[in-house]
Amino acid sequence: MGMGIDLAVGNNLQPNYVYENDSGVLSLAWASAESDYTWNIIWGDVNQDGYLDLSVGNYKQFNRIYMNRTVGVELAWSTPTANSTTSLAWGDIDNDGDPDLAVGNYNAQPNQLYQNNNGNLSLVWSSPQLDSTNDLAWGDMDADGDLDLAVANYNQPNRIYANTNNQLALVWSSAETDFSTSVAWGDADGGWDLGCLFGNFDQPNRLYQNQQGQFSLTYSSPESDATL
């Protein structure tokens, strides 16, 4: 891609696009050959070559990774199965320098983790819980140097999976079953432990503080907004 920040666009049953930014002027540089039902797209350097690659989460279709090569963007990988994917998040769970891919799925399907070994992705984990996930985020909740996974679910408990020796295990589920659409980690109290903020649709947004790995609800917004 050129100088400046380029724009990736996910579309509904149409090709996805990349617009190249040349000094603030955007022009269409690439269109996917596939016309997928795309819900989420994220950039990440899959093979550590210094170029950002495009990951695409599709609903009831195969998820895909398009590698950014010097000759252009090309399809390099698709998931072996088609899930109702709504969210993607890159995070290096094994601290090997390669980003690994978490996949959030809807319609009572397991969430998944694909481990990246030198640009080759393989499925290493599927959640035992069958949730309807709208968002997920990586964060080191226990300051052990390993990334842990927070999951925002719709009309189900939200969840946190701890990463121990590169294995994810459920350590917390919210008592509330909100219509959660988004999640973010943050140190709200300056205590060095990351808490979790969940955005909810037509319900209060909620903050769960983290005290040495124990999460408790400490704030619910007085407003019930349509948070996405």
Side-chain angles (χ1 to χ4, degrees):
M1 301 295 107
M3 296 296 292
I5 298 174
D6 306 304
L7 177 66
V9 178
N11 292 312
N12 181 0
L13 301 179
Q14 294 175 306
N16 295 321
Y17 299 120
V18 171
Y19 292 88
E20 190 171 4
N21 181 359
D22 186 2
S23 301
V25 178
L26 294 174
S27 59
L28 182 64
W30 173 82
S32 64
E34 300 74 28
S35 295
D36 292 324
Y37 189 10
T38 299
W39 277 48
N40 193 248
I41 52 175
I42 58 172
W43 293 104
D45 189 357
V46 179
N47 56 356
Q48 298 296 290
D49 65 350
Y51 295 99
L52 290 178
D53 309 299
L54 186 64
S55 306
V56 177
N58 295 316
Y59 196 82
K60 295 186 178 180
Q61 293 173 303
F62 301 108
N63 298 324
R64 310 186 192 277
I65 293 178
Y66 297 88
M67 302 298 286
N68 181 5
R69 309 191 192 280
T70 54
V71 295
V73 179
E74 60 185 24
L75 178 64
W77 179 82
S78 298
T79 50
T81 58
N83 292 310
S84 301
T85 298
T86 58
S87 49
L88 303 170
W90 287 108
D92 186 4
I93 66 151
D94 49 8
N95 292 318
D96 67 347
D98 295 327
D100 308 295
L101 184 64
V103 177
N105 294 314
Y106 207 78
N107 285 340
Q109 295 177 340
N111 295 321
Q112 298 165 316
L113 175 64
Y114 290 87
Q115 194 167 21
N116 180 2
N117 288 303
N118 298 316
N120 299 306
L121 279 81
S122 57
L123 181 64
V124 295
W125 177 81
S126 295
S127 64
Q129 296 72 32
L130 303 180
D131 292 325
S132 288
T133 296
N134 276 319
D135 195 24
L136 34 74
W138 292 105
D140 187 1
M141 72 166 195
D142 47 10
D144 66 349
D146 295 324
L147 290 177
D148 310 296
L149 188 64
V151 176
N153 294 318
Y154 190 84
N155 201 27
Q156 292 169 303
N158 295 320
R159 307 190 194 276
I160 293 175
Y161 297 87
N163 177 5
T164 304
N165 297 322
N166 307 331
Q167 300 293 320
L168 293 177
L170 181 67
V171 294
W172 177 83
S173 296
S174 64
E176 299 74 27
T177 54
D178 292 324
F179 300 158
S180 294
T181 56
S182 53
V183 58
W185 292 97
D187 183 9
D189 59 0
W192 301 101
D193 292 325
L194 292 179
C196 260
L197 177 64
F198 290 91
N200 297 316
F201 189 84
D202 283 345
Q203 294 172 315
N205 297 322
R206 304 191 196 277
L207 174 65
Y208 297 84
Q209 294 282 51
N210 177 6
Q211 297 293 331
Q212 298 182 340
Q214 301 298 314
F215 288 82
S216 58
L217 178 63
T218 56
Y219 173 78
S220 296
S221 65
E223 302 81 19
S224 295
D225 294 325
T227 299
L228 298 174

